[in-house]
Amino acid sequence: MATLRDLRLRVQGLRAPFDASASDVVRRFVAVQAQEFVPSQWGLAARVPHDRRPGAASVAAAIDDGEILRTHVLRPTWHFLHRDDARWVLELSAERVHRANAMYYRQTGLEGADVARAMDLVAAVLEGGHRTRAEITAALEGGGLPKAGLGFTYVMLHAELERVAISGANVGKQRTYAAFDERVPPAPPKPRDEALAELAARYLAARGPATDRDFAAWSGFTLGDTRQAFADAADRAGAHGGRIEHVDVDGVTHRLDAEAVAAASDRSNVGDGAQATGVDLLQAYDEYIMGYAAPRAYLLPDGLDAVHAEFPLHALMIDGVMSGRWAPVVEAKRVRVRLVPWRGFTAREQRGVAASVAELEAFFGLPAAVEVERD
C-alpha cells in the first residue's frame, strides 16, 4: 500500500509539483472536484512549486477570467474544468447525468414544455451579462416559471449540461452564471468513443495507478465503458497520454501511465516547503481522495476501515495516510486553522504541520491562528 500511496502522491503533484499555473493543473486533471469553493482552490495551488505557488487572489482571478470554469459534470457534482475542455467533457457526460437526474426533474416539475421554456429564459437573461442566482430567479418568475430552492438548482444543472450556462465572474462574494458560448471556445464535437478514451488516458496520466473501478467511480461511467475506454486509450497511446501499463498492487491489477510516472520521478527533486515534509492539508474532495473508488483503503491508518464525513471536513494527511481533520476559517484579518489530530505527532510531523500552516498563510495572505482540538 505504501508504494501505491507514493506513486499517487507523485503523479498527482503533491510530492512532485508541476511547473504550472492553477489553470494548467486543472487542465492536467481534466476535471477537479470543487464542492468546497475556496478550499478546492487551495487544492490547485498546493500542486504548484512553493516558490511559484499562486495565492488565493490569483486563483480567483483565473476563475473570474474564465480560464477555470466551475460546473456540474461527471458523477455529477461541482467540478473545475479548463475552458478548453469544458465543451467536450460536458457533451460526453450530459446524457448519463440527465438520466441520473430524471427523478429530480420530475419532482421539481422540470418536464415537457417547461424544460424548453426554462432554457430559453436562462439563455435570454444571460445574454445581458453574468447574472447572480437572484437575478436568474427573477427572470424565471418574470417569465411565468417560478423556481426556487431545489427547483432552481435543477433548472441550472440542466442549463449547464445543455451548454446554456456556466460559471461567471464573482460579484463580491456572490457567484454568477454566464452564457456558455461566451466563456467556452468553439470546438467540433468529439465522437463518444474518442472522447471517452481521452478522458481515460488523461485520468491515468494524472491519477494512476488506478483500477477499472476507480475510473468508473470517478467518471460516472459503467465498468463496461471503462474497460473499453482503457483499451481504446492504450491503442491510441501518445495521442492524449503516454504508455499505459498494468501493475499488480497487493494482488489487484492497476493501470498507470508509465510516462507520467517517469515524469513525476524526474520532478521529484522539485518539492520543497511543506511538499517535502510528508504532511498535506488536503481539502475534503481533493483528487487524491475522490479520484478513486471507495473504500479507499490506501488512505486509512491501521485500525480504521472507513472514513466518515465529520467536521472539520478536510483531511490532514501524513505520508498519504489520514491522521486527522482540519478546517480553514477565513476571517477579515486572519485565517483560523482548526486542527484535530487523531494521534500524537513526531517532531518531524509537527514541523511538517507548521510548514503546511505557513503555506496556508501565504496562500490566503493572512496570518494564521492555529487551534488544536483533540478528537
Side-chain angles (χ1 to χ4, degrees):
M1 206 60 86
T3 299
L4 182 65
R5 292 187 195 109
D6 181 67
L7 284 170
R8 286 177 173 174
L9 287 166
R10 289 180 183 281
V11 168
Q12 287 218 12
L14 291 168
R15 289 295 170 276
F18 309 116
D19 185 8
S21 65
S23 60
D24 291 333
V25 172
V26 174
R27 189 201 299 264
R28 179 178 183 83
F29 280 83
V30 188
V32 176
Q33 191 160 338
Q35 230 130 315
E36 296 286 308
F37 188 57
V38 174
S40 62
Q41 294 172 52
W42 160 247
L44 302 179
R47 288 169 163 86
V48 176
H50 180 72
D51 62 348
R52 296 188 292 284
R53 180 169 297 165
S58 176
V59 181
I63 294 169
D64 284 347
D65 290 345
E67 291 177 37
I68 299 171
L69 298 165
R70 185 170 180 253
T71 193
H72 289 88
V73 74
L74 299 176
R75 292 184 288 281
T77 189
W78 284 110
H79 281 80
F80 287 139
L81 298 172
H82 191 278
R83 62 184 168 202
D84 291 343
D85 290 319
R87 191 176 296 275
W88 73 264
V89 175
L90 278 158
E91 287 172 350
L92 175 64
S93 182
E95 181 184 353
R96 284 194 63 78
V97 178
H98 276 320
R99 287 205 300 269
N101 290 341
M103 178 181 72
Y104 299 101
Y105 292 155
R106 290 193 297 272
Q107 287 180 356
T108 57
L110 191 63
E111 295 185 286
D114 280 353
V115 176
R117 237 170 104 218
M119 296 305 100
D120 287 345
L121 288 168
V122 171
V125 71
L126 294 181
E127 282 181 4
H130 299 193
R131 301 299 185 210
T132 65
R133 180 186 179 109
E135 290 170 325
I136 298 172
T137 299
L140 292 169
E141 290 175 350
L145 197 67
K147 293 288 181 184
L150 196 62
F152 178 86
T153 296
Y154 279 94
V155 165
M156 295 312 299
L157 205 156
H158 198 288
E160 292 172 86
L161 294 170
E162 289 302 303
R163 283 80 73 198
V164 173
I166 201 160
S167 62
N170 284 356
V171 176
K173 293 186 177 180
Q174 292 190 75
R175 291 185 276 283
T176 70
Y177 290 91
F180 186 89
D181 287 340
E182 176 207 329
R183 304 280 269 181
V184 181
K190 293 179 187 284
R192 184 180 185 275
D193 59 341
E194 180 182 318
L196 199 50
E198 178 173 348
L199 189 70
R202 290 173 64 183
Y203 168 86
L204 288 178
R207 297 171 184 83
T211 66
D212 294 353
R213 284 187 63 249
D214 289 330
F215 179 67
W218 174 82
S219 68
F221 287 94
T222 66
L223 277 170
D225 281 334
T226 291
R227 291 172 184 134
Q228 185 61 56
F230 279 151
D232 290 345
D235 288 343
R236 300 169 184 173
H240 303 295
R243 190 172 70 255
I244 296 175
E245 295 182 356
H246 294 76
V247 294
D248 183 278
V249 181
D250 297 329
V252 178
T253 298
H254 289 65
R255 303 174 198 253
L256 55 75
D257 181 328
E259 292 182 8
V261 171
S265 297
D266 290 342
R267 295 196 311 271
S268 61
N269 62 344
V270 178
D272 53 12
Q275 290 165 328
T277 68
V279 176
D280 298 285
L281 296 178
L282 297 187
Q283 63 110 354
Y285 303 103
D286 191 90
E287 292 299 312
Y288 179 71
I289 300 169
M290 299 305 295
Y292 311 97
R296 307 184 181 99
Y298 66 97
L299 292 174
L300 304 179
D302 293 340
L304 192 66
D305 59 6
V307 176
H308 302 288
E310 57 188 72
F311 190 84
L313 188 64
H314 307 298
L316 191 165
M317 314 291 294
I318 296 180
D319 297 325
V321 177
M322 281 194 70
S323 302
R325 297 277 187 176
W326 74 286
V329 182
V330 182
E331 299 174 347
K333 295 184 178 180
R334 67 174 184 172
V335 55
R336 286 192 295 120
V337 182
R338 295 183 55 189
L339 299 177
V340 183
W342 288 351
R343 60 170 175 80
F345 293 158
T346 66
R348 176 186 74 87
E349 291 168 348
Q350 289 172 348
R351 289 194 296 271
V353 171
S356 295
V357 170
E359 293 196 348
L360 279 173
E361 283 187 310
F363 176 73
F364 286 110
L366 293 169
V370 178
E371 302 172 357
V372 180
E373 307 168 21
R374 295 299 162 187
D375 191 30

